[in-house]
Amino acid sequence: MGQATLTRRISQYLKHDIPVAIGTRAIKNIAFAMSLLTCLCASSVSLFSFFSTSLHETYKISYLDVNLIASCSSIGLYLFLPILGYLGDCYGPSLLALISGFLFVPSYLVNANIVSHLNYSDAQRSHIYWFGLSFFFIGLATSSLYFSCLLTCAKIYPERKGLAISLPVTCYGMSSLIGSQVLKLSSFNPNGVLDIKKAFIFFSILYSFVCLLNFVSCYVVTFDYHILMNDHSHVAQTDDEERSLLNPEDSNEFGAASSFYDEETLSLVPQRSEIEPLNHKQRYVNFLKDHSTWLLMISLILNIGPLESFQNNIGPILTVSRQAHKSSSLSDQISVWAAASTASRILVGWLSDFMSSSQRKHPICRVHLLSLSVFMGIIGVSIILLRSISFSFTSALVGSSYGALFTVYPTIVASVWGVDIMGSTWGTFMVAPALGSISYSILFGHTVDSGHSSGSLSDAYFYFVCVSLFASVILVVASWRIFWFKRGLAIF
């Protein structure tokens, strides 16, 4: 009875006393800031190159086994996102926060324990399997942590989808830059080589606090979602936007006829509800049946795939393009790529809200911004073929395109199918980057190996990438003009 009374008091305090004391808007801002802070620590899995160097040089684990471990982390990172997203929509992002906490801390402690039992040059197969299993869970924890933050930010500010999505995406991208600088500290490199045991223990301690912080911010959305909706000015604005999509006759700028609507179309239109969205299962089924879903999925494979492959193969591309001169060092190009990608995420997030705002006299659909982002990538890849222009322009343009697409795509998904089921929908789309990256990386490797760095064969690959990027634009525009127009989504 005492425990039940304590629970009711905590619930009363969270639901009523805090909002009265500091205000609903302050709660939203605090939860949003906590989610962004969490994202700044979320991407430790992207630091695997630091771990792999130490595993190979210190413990003589072969590169094949190191890549096996890396593949396990990729499987956990990408392939379970549809399930995690669906769970996040059904039970709220705090469930994902709990999953990340229960996986991150034990996994890094297991890794530290494995390292403490390793003898130099004496790694056994059992060690490799345990490393693979723990990094699989680290990848899964990373997806859970990142997705919980993304859903929290998107649901706190549904009326500002562009910035609400781009900010956590940007912070997640910055986390790898921050982590790389932390691991360069002398305390982690006593002999010039990373002490991975110290690194694993550090991350286990870090994530015990980060996941607790993230759970608190997600708890605001999960446990008391209606508090966030008590800001009547924001609700009214968002409801007006949704009514204009449901009833195009009420707004000339969304000029689609109401006669286009049928039961299935209405079930795809964004709706708002409590933690579990209204008709969640049926809407997700209709999302999977929607032809525009698969056109957008293919477009994501065709543009994110080659751009992510470019990121993974900047060194070989420098070589085969015959631009590996002093001004195009690998470290410089990676820095240019990372800076351009990070800057474009936040800039495009702001632009998408500004350009598509119904308050503007002539609003512009986000599809135009997505097309512009892809064309930046096309120009960047085309520069490789010109040879005479500095490779830094290629890195900047392709990096900007990559970062912008990872901001615009989830914003479009949230606008077309709704923020309330964004976990399910965007989680499904996140399978595409894995498929695209693997496919284009294999194609690039096969092309270069077959031609022994022949310029003509590598040029054929880059021409193919340009065609692929252009085809992705056609698919997105076709989805917009053929399908989304019928739902009143002329401007979003």
Side-chain angles (χ1 to χ4, degrees), residues 58-100:
T58 304
Y59 300 101
K60 309 304 179 183
I61 296 177
S62 69
Y63 279 123
L64 178 61
D65 288 334
V66 167
N67 279 278
L68 175 64
I69 297 170
S71 298
C72 291
S73 69
S74 297
I75 293 172
L77 187 63
Y78 283 112
L79 295 187
F80 288 87
L81 273 173
I83 299 174
L84 293 174
Y86 194 87
L87 290 175
D89 285 337
C90 287
Y91 304 104
S94 62
L95 174 62
L96 303 186
L98 282 175
I99 291 174
S100 64

Side-chain angles (χ1 to χ4, degrees), residues 185-218:
L185 296 176
S186 57
S187 57
F188 291 106
N189 298 269
N191 300 314
V193 178
L194 177 67
D195 186 337
I196 55 174
K197 182 180 179 180
K198 285 185 179 180
F200 291 151
I201 293 175
F202 167 76
F203 281 119
S204 67
I205 297 173
L206 173 67
Y207 281 118
S208 64
F209 291 101
V210 168
C211 292
L212 178 62
L213 180 71
N214 185 45
F215 176 77
V216 173
S217 65
C218 294

Side-chain angles (χ1 to χ4, degrees), residues 18-266:
I18 291 180
V20 170
I22 65 177
T24 301
R25 185 177 295 274
I27 292 177
K28 294 168 68 174
N29 291 337
I30 292 172
F32 192 82
M34 291 168 70
S35 291
L36 295 184
L37 182 60
T38 300
C39 279
L40 288 173
C41 306
S43 187
S44 63
V45 72
S46 65
L47 304 174
F48 186 82
S49 58
F50 283 88
F51 306 146
S52 63
T53 301
S54 182
L55 289 172
H56 177 72
E57 294 184 357
T58 304
Y59 300 101
K60 309 304 179 183
I61 296 177
S62 69
Y63 279 123
L64 178 61
D65 288 334
V66 167
N67 279 278
L68 175 64
I69 297 170
S71 298
C72 291
S73 69
S74 297
I75 293 172
L77 187 63
Y78 283 112
L79 295 187
F80 288 87
L81 273 173
I83 299 174
L84 293 174
Y86 194 87
L87 290 175
D89 285 337
C90 287
Y91 304 104
S94 62
L95 174 62
L96 303 186
L98 282 175
I99 291 174
S100 64
F102 281 120
L103 294 179
F104 258 133
V105 179
S107 296
Y108 273 118
L109 288 177
V110 166
N111 281 344
N113 184 62
I114 295 172
V115 172
S116 65
H117 288 84
L118 275 179
N119 294 320
Y120 297 109
S121 306
D122 191 31
Q124 305 296 320
R125 296 308 302 174
S126 60
H127 296 140
I128 306 303
Y129 297 146
W130 277 110
F131 271 131
L133 182 63
S134 61
F135 270 101
F136 165 80
F137 286 124
I138 289 172
L140 188 59
T142 302
S143 296
S144 300
L145 187 66
Y146 168 66
F147 232 50
S148 64
C149 295
L150 185 65
L151 294 179
T152 298
C153 292
K155 293 184 178 184
I156 286 177
Y157 292 113
E159 74 284 352
R160 298 295 301 276
K161 298 182 185 72
L163 280 176
I165 290 173
S166 68
L167 284 174
V169 170
T170 302
C171 290
Y172 181 79
M174 291 176 62
S175 66
S176 59
L177 297 176
I178 296 173
S180 64
Q181 297 305 310
V182 170
L183 292 184
K184 289 180 180 179
L185 296 176
S186 57
S187 57
F188 291 106
N189 298 269
N191 300 314
V193 178
L194 177 67
D195 186 337
I196 55 174
K197 182 180 179 180
K198 285 185 179 180
F200 291 151
I201 293 175
F202 167 76
F203 281 119
S204 67
I205 297 173
L206 173 67
Y207 281 118
S208 64
F209 291 101
V210 168
C211 292
L212 178 62
L213 180 71
N214 185 45
F215 176 77
V216 173
S217 65
C218 294
Y219 186 82
V220 172
V221 174
T222 303
F223 184 72
D224 215 352
Y225 185 69
H226 68 273
I227 288 180
L228 303 178
M229 296 300 115
N230 284 336
D231 189 339
H232 297 293
S233 62
H234 286 170
V235 172
Q237 178 184 353
T238 307
D239 286 346
D240 286 342
E241 292 176 1
E242 291 178 357
R243 279 196 296 272
S244 68
L245 298 181
L246 285 165
N247 302 290
E249 296 171 342
D250 297 339
S251 177
N252 292 330
E253 70 180 5
F254 292 99
S258 61
S259 59
F260 282 111
Y261 284 89
D262 54 24
E263 183 178 352
E264 181 176 351
T265 299
L266 287 174

